[in-house]
Amino acid sequence: MNKQEFHERLINAVECELSYVQQFEDNVEKGIAGIRSTDDDAAIQAHAKSIAYNKRMKVIHLERAAAMLEVVGCFVQDRDEPTPLTIRSRLKMFKAKAGLGDKQE
């Protein structure tokens, strides 16, 4: 694998992680809407468990994306917060650094 292939695979992997993050964020919103729409205690507890699970999974995927970007020097664990906005910003920075900004956006 050459350098450009590595960069393209890394970009694709980070973008995939970000898509998972978005799915988990959507699931959290659905869970919150589910809680608001019911008075049933069992349903509320089920939605709360779902929200907690999806929040944990979101963090896992954000941390994976951050670790990938850290390997190429575009994320600093001690300085950067692994949020979707930060990851997208650092990914954009990496694309520019790798000369792949126009092709991937």
Side-chain angles (χ1 to χ4, degrees):
M1 172 184 329
N2 66 34
K3 191 174 184 178
Q4 183 175 352
E5 288 174 333
F6 172 76
H7 290 167
E8 289 172 354
R9 284 185 181 191
L10 180 84
I11 290 166
N12 289 336
V14 172
E15 288 174 342
C16 184
E17 294 299 328
L18 286 170
S19 73
Y20 290 137
V21 167
Q22 185 60 53
Q23 289 175 18
F24 290 118
E25 285 180 344
D26 293 345
N27 290 341
V28 167
E29 292 301 317
K30 288 177 189 174
I32 291 169
I35 287 174
R36 288 184 178 141
S37 70
T38 187
D39 291 330
D40 179 42
D41 288 341
I44 291 170
Q45 288 179 358
H47 287 301
K49 286 181 181 179
S50 171
I51 291 168
Y53 169 81
N54 282 285
K55 282 186 169 194
R56 285 191 306 272
M57 294 304 294
K58 174 185 163 185
V59 168
I60 288 169
H61 287 280
L62 282 170
E63 289 176 353
R64 284 176 55 156
M68 289 177 205
L69 291 171
E70 189 171 19
V71 168
V72 292
C74 290
F75 188 91
V76 178
Q77 185 178 18
D78 296 336
R79 181 192 70 205
D80 298 324
E81 183 74 23
T83 66
L85 183 62
T86 303
I87 298 298
R88 284 185 190 99
S89 171
R90 298 304 184 266
L91 180 59
K92 185 176 181 180
M93 180 176 74
F94 176 71
K95 286 179 181 181
K97 183 177 165 182
L100 298 170
D102 294 334
K103 296 178 185 175
Q104 298 291 322
E105 291 182 20

